[in-house]
Amino acid sequence: MYDTRGARTSARARASAAVLGAALLLAGCSSSDGDQAADAGAGITQQPKSADPFWVNPDGTAARQLAAYEKAGKKTDAGQIRKIAEQPVGEWIGPENPEQEARGFTEAAEKSDRTALLVLYDIPHRDCGQYSQGGAADGDAYRAWIDGVARGIEDRPATVILEPDAVLHLVDGCTPDEFHEERYDLLRGAVDKLKSLKNTKVYLDAGNAGWGHPDQIFQPLQQAGIDRADGFAVNVSNFYSTQDSIAYGKQLSAKVGGKHFVIDTSRNGNGPYTEGDPAQKWCNPPGRALGETPTTKTADPLVDAYLWVKRPGESDGTCKGGPKAGQWWASYALALARNSN
């Protein structure tokens, strides 16, 4: 439902190599407070750390699109894409080189005095055969992958969104019963491994305001290790309003020991799509908009941050004319930006 690694192999390989260069660039070009780091193309800078401590990748897909538009003299389009390119977005770690990617992103972030935002999405039997099916081959492969991510992060600051869909699909019947026990064990193990790191925060994915009721998911979250995590994430890759997401998160928090949570606001500016096939409302819906920009200054003390976990402009899947899940879709990115304030 959220992303696919196969569709992004070439882009991810490019990013893995580029991010190490970006780290050197950020170190050499940043000002004393780290707010002026920029690449030579699009001139991407870090956001003020006091409100938004997360790292902006100066070589992200949106930044490259921005540079291309500027080179082509498309100033209006460039101005719209800049709304995306200048914000920190989640870096989804791929299956092949988790240690290298995690190290590259966290080193670049640390050199800019920022925190890397990482998304881990490789659980076995992922996405129940939908657009983002795949994941690790088995439990041992997943544990090895998590170990690689942890080695890459080391003691550098990182915020991790752990396994979008994984708990939700245990509840909604999507994941077959025979895989439940293993999945809980893998999630608990991942939480423990990541929380053994000095400066890593972990938020387990916990669905969204439109899928069901917190009563259905709080016990599965407990089985998945929420007590040892920093909290949970809501609305990942979805479109429910920030207000509705806060209400859902607060209800759920009350059932899991008052845990804090983060909200994906990347595409929720106009709320959810209400037309067409209800089962496909989440997939590349038209008329959506960018939501609140990433920040730790939120409307509720239980909400640790608004984040752009889903990367705005990347397709949800081959629906409504979109490319494969995870591929950049410039026209959709432009629409999200144009529809936002």
Side-chain angles (χ1 to χ4, degrees):
M1 177 175 176
Y2 295 119
D3 191 58
T4 182
R5 303 273 61 86
R8 294 172 59 188
T9 299
S10 59
R12 187 53 69 192
R14 185 169 62 246
S16 294
V19 73
L20 298 178
L24 298 176
L25 177 68
L26 291 171
C29 298
S30 59
S31 66
S32 59
D33 65 359
D35 288 339
Q36 298 301 317
D39 73 338
I44 300 301
T45 63
Q46 299 301 315
Q47 293 292 328
K49 186 178 180 181
S50 60
D52 185 0
F54 303 101
W55 177 61
V56 179
N57 186 346
D59 192 44
T61 310
R64 292 194 295 271
Q65 182 72 75
L66 169 59
Y69 280 149
E70 289 183 338
K71 184 176 181 179
K74 297 181 177 180
K75 295 182 179 180
T76 300
D77 288 347
Q80 294 296 337
I81 290 298
R82 182 173 288 278
K83 296 177 184 178
I84 299 173
E86 67 185 8
Q87 298 298 333
V89 298
E91 300 291 353
W92 296 62
I93 302 298
E96 293 90 1
N97 299 298
E99 182 175 351
Q100 178 186 1
E101 290 186 15
R103 178 174 294 113
F105 291 130
T106 55
E107 283 183 348
E110 184 181 53
K111 289 181 184 299
S112 219
D113 192 27
R114 295 299 189 275
T115 297
L117 177 61
L118 307 179
V119 188
L120 305 190
Y121 186 50
D122 199 40
I123 202 79
H125 319 293
R126 188 182 69 192
D127 205 31
C128 310
Q130 297 187 79
Y131 294 118
S132 296
Q133 62 183 294
D138 54 34
D140 287 341
Y142 184 75
R143 293 182 185 94
W145 184 79
I146 288 291
D147 287 346
V149 172
R151 287 194 301 271
I153 295 173
E154 295 182 323
D155 287 342
R156 289 178 289 274
T159 291
V160 172
I161 308 302
L162 183 60
E163 294 300 338
D165 263 351
V167 178
L168 178 61
H169 281 169
L170 292 171
V171 179
D172 66 8
C174 186
T175 301
D177 290 346
E178 60 264 32
F179 301 134
H180 286 203
E181 184 177 351
E182 178 188 60
R183 178 165 294 185
Y184 283 126
D185 182 68
L186 293 176
L187 290 171
R188 287 192 299 267
V191 171
D192 288 343
K193 170 61 73 171
L194 295 166
K195 285 306 299 174
S196 72
L197 304 175
K198 184 178 180 181
N199 292 303
T200 296
K201 292 185 176 181
V202 179
Y203 295 87
L204 270 166
D205 184 69
N208 58 70
W211 80 274
H213 194 275
D215 282 346
Q216 298 170 265
I217 200 171
F218 81 91
Q219 288 180 325
L221 276 175
Q222 290 170 336
Q223 288 181 258
I226 188 65
D227 61 315
R228 300 182 309 266
D230 292 274
F232 56 91
V234 302
N235 203 48
V236 171
S237 291
N238 223 299
F239 302 87
Y240 290 94
S241 71
T242 301
Q243 182 179 359
D244 288 346
S245 296
I246 290 175
Y248 171 82
K250 290 178 73 172
Q251 285 183 296
L252 183 53
S253 173
K255 298 176 181 297
V256 291
K259 284 288 185 178
H260 287 209
F261 58 100
V262 296
I263 300 171
D264 185 353
T265 59
S266 57
R267 305 183 299 175
N268 74 346
N270 283 343
Y273 187 56
T274 58
E275 301 177 22
D277 180 359
Q280 291 286 308
K281 288 180 181 178
W282 59 271
C283 193
N284 299 325
R288 300 311 93 195
L290 302 173
E292 287 97 338
T293 54
T295 183
T296 53
K297 296 185 181 298
T298 69
D300 193 280
L302 282 175
V303 184
D304 285 347
Y306 301 145
L307 302 174
W308 285 9
V309 182
K310 171 69 178 182
R311 300 156 67 90
E314 292 187 355
S315 177
D316 292 314
T318 53
C319 57
K320 302 181 181 71
K324 291 181 179 180
Q327 287 191 346
W328 176 255
W329 189 7
S331 61
Y332 197 83
L334 281 171
L336 287 171
R338 289 171 181 151
N339 291 337
S340 62
N341 295 327

